[in-house]
Amino acid sequence: AQSVTQPDIHITVSEGASLELRCNYSYGATPYLFWYVQSPGQGLQLLLKYFSGDTLVQGIKGFEAEFKRSQSSFNLRKPSVHWSDAAEYFCAVQGTYKYIFGTGTRLKVLA
Amino acid sequence: EAGVAQSPRYKIIEKRQSVAFWCNPISGHATLYWYQQILGQGPKLLIQFQNNGVVDDSQLPKDRFSAERLKGVDSTLKIQPAKLEDSAVYLCASTGQGSTTNEKLFFGSGTQLSVL
């Protein structure tokens, strides 16, 4: 069955520190993978996506993600977090017909 | 280019009442999704349409929820009767191509439903 797991519900980092948000998926083949961000009171915005090719994907706002087939993971990273990155982050998987979201990771940034 | 339009923006009803939400996807988008996002959770897929046909409604509580997309363009999601646990934001999203392409979802601003 197709599923997405984001094991960290909350993460707190200091501004300027590096960030890694975890995402694990379950799907029989290589899925299409996405990261979305949702700021308070805002809609969901696509950060980046992976469907084939280079396993390191660059996105907007300085984010990147790496697809690791052996670990069924698609972790999101940013080398230096800004206060404006505080938001909720959702990993999503698109397999046959279904577009499924994880439960989200809420990021808090300390000044 | 106009985005995904949803209305109303907010709705407050009492339990056991009925409510309907409307969505107009981006022009030309064949695939339309309805998601339910409960506070603090990720969006949960309720139903997916490809043109005017249902592709997936496995997580739609069919005893109280219904949705239609009669002409393959705009869509309506209805809840009858509403329960307290239906309080959530209902998101409509669309993509242009078939259901297995790697396109991003275009989301509407959502309808925030409060059931009292």
Side-chain angles (χ1 to χ4, degrees):
Chain A
Q2 181 182 336
S3 67
V4 185
T5 302
Q6 292 182 247
D8 304 305
I9 299 174
H10 298 278
I11 284 186
T12 300
V13 299
S14 298
E15 191 170 18
S18 63
L19 171 70
E20 182 168 27
L21 303 182
R22 296 184 290 165
C23 172
N24 294 97
Y25 69 90
S26 174
Y27 185 62
T30 300
Y32 301 131
L33 297 161
F34 306 79
W35 274 99
Y36 285 81
V37 60
Q38 188 174 37
S39 298
Q42 302 296 313
L44 284 150
Q45 180 183 23
L46 179 70
L47 286 175
L48 47 78
K49 65 181 180 181
Y50 170 82
F51 57 97
S52 68
D54 193 345
T55 56
L56 185 63
V57 180
Q58 302 298 320
I60 62 172
K61 302 185 180 185
F63 285 92
E64 66 178 26
E66 186 171 13
F67 171 62
K68 292 186 177 180
R69 185 189 306 275
S70 61
Q71 297 177 20
S72 297
S73 69
F74 188 56
N75 294 349
L76 182 72
R77 301 194 295 246
K78 187 170 185 177
S80 178
V81 170
H82 188 262
W83 64 267
S84 60
D85 294 325
E88 186 135 23
Y89 292 80
F90 295 96
C91 181
V93 173
Q94 186 185 18
T96 304
Y97 299 116
K98 285 187 179 182
Y99 209 121
I100 303 295
F101 285 80
T103 51
T105 298
R106 184 171 298 276
L107 174 66
K108 182 177 180 179
V109 180
L110 302 177
Chain B
E1 177 184 78
V4 176
Q6 284 190 251
S7 67
R9 187 71 179 91
Y10 302 94
K11 191 73 177 178
I12 300 173
I13 62 172
E14 295 186 349
K15 60 183 179 183
R16 291 188 288 274
Q17 286 187 323
S18 303
V19 64
F21 313 127
W22 174 82
C23 172
N24 194 14
I26 291 173
S27 178
H29 276 194
T31 308
L32 185 149
Y33 308 78
W34 282 103
Y35 286 89
Q36 178 193 59
Q37 187 175 19
I38 293 173
L39 187 64
Q41 299 182 20
K44 171 189 167 184
L45 179 63
L46 292 176
I47 189 167
Q48 178 181 340
F49 292 95
Q50 183 74 13
N51 297 308
N52 61 350
V54 175
V55 173
D56 186 337
D57 63 356
S58 58
Q59 295 198 87
L60 187 73
K62 299 181 185 63
D63 58 333
R64 298 183 300 106
F65 285 65
S66 64
E68 60 184 16
R69 194 185 184 198
L70 294 176
K71 297 182 179 178
V73 181
D74 57 345
S75 176
T76 302
L77 176 70
K78 296 180 182 178
I79 307 175
Q80 182 179 10
K83 292 185 176 182
L84 296 177
E85 59 261 36
D86 298 332
S87 294
V89 175
Y90 291 84
L91 296 165
C92 180
S94 68
T95 60
Q97 300 298 324
S99 54
T100 58
T101 60
N102 60 323
E103 290 189 83
K104 77 171 191 176
L105 290 176
F106 290 83
F107 281 92
S109 54
T111 296
Q112 185 169 331
L113 174 67
S114 296
V115 182
L116 307 178

